[in-house]
């Protein structure tokens, strides 16, 4: 929360409430309604206004990172995990079959 020179509290809930009621927004560079605002918006308020742009900038900056050559992408990891899950399911089924054979032969306690 930030205060301007008129001691008006400036927070995301205040901005949201003001927007819902059709009130003035405390961003003079967005709407020109308040000429003497001296303060900084909270991080949550900035994200509310610029969230898509922030996410895109993070994505763009991650594209510029020099990743190690031995890393596996998330999509490839998901494929590998799905294959491992299938193998586990097949092994579990085979184990259950062997256990049933053992039970059927009478050699269990």
């Amino acid at each position: 929360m930030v205060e301007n020179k008129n001691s008006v509290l400036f927070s995301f809930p205040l901005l949201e409430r003001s927007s819902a009621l059709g009130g003035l927004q405390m961003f003079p560079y967005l709407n020109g309604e308040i000429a003497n605002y001296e303060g900084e918006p909270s991080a949550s308020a900035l994200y509310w206004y610029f969230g898509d742009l922030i996410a895109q900038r993070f994505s763009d900056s991650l594209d510029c990172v020099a990743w190690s050559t031995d890393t596996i992408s998330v999509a490839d990891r998901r494929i590998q995990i799905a294959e491992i899950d299938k193998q586990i399911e097949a092994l579990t089924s085979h184990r259950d079959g062997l256990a049933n054979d053992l039970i059927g032969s009478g050699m269990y306690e």
Side-chain angles (χ1 to χ4, degrees):
M1 223 177 250
V2 178
E3 292 185 29
N4 69 10
K5 74 179 193 172
N6 297 324
S7 297
V8 176
L9 294 177
F10 187 61
S11 67
F12 177 73
L14 178 64
L15 290 172
E16 190 172 29
R17 205 172 307 117
S18 178
S19 176
L21 296 173
L24 300 176
Q25 292 298 323
M26 307 299 270
F27 289 113
Y29 53 90
L30 292 179
N31 60 17
E33 295 169 339
I34 298 172
N36 297 321
Y37 177 73
E38 294 177 11
E40 296 179 11
S42 67
S44 58
L46 284 174
Y47 191 78
W48 187 70
Y49 279 104
F50 304 110
D52 294 339
L53 179 60
I54 292 169
Q56 184 59 47
R57 293 287 167 97
F58 270 108
S59 177
D60 293 345
S61 64
L62 287 174
D63 289 341
C64 297
V65 173
W67 299 102
S68 175
T69 57
D70 63 344
T71 59
I72 300 171
S73 71
V74 173
D76 290 341
R77 237 175 250 239
R78 287 183 178 145
I79 291 169
Q80 288 178 351
I81 290 171
E83 290 171 359
I84 291 169
D85 286 342
K86 286 179 186 176
Q87 290 175 358
I88 289 172
E89 188 177 323
L91 289 170
T92 301
S93 177
H94 183 67
R95 180 207 60 200
D96 291 346
L98 291 173
N100 286 334
D101 289 346
L102 186 61
I103 292 170
S105 70
M107 296 185 61
Y108 69 94
E109 279 192 37

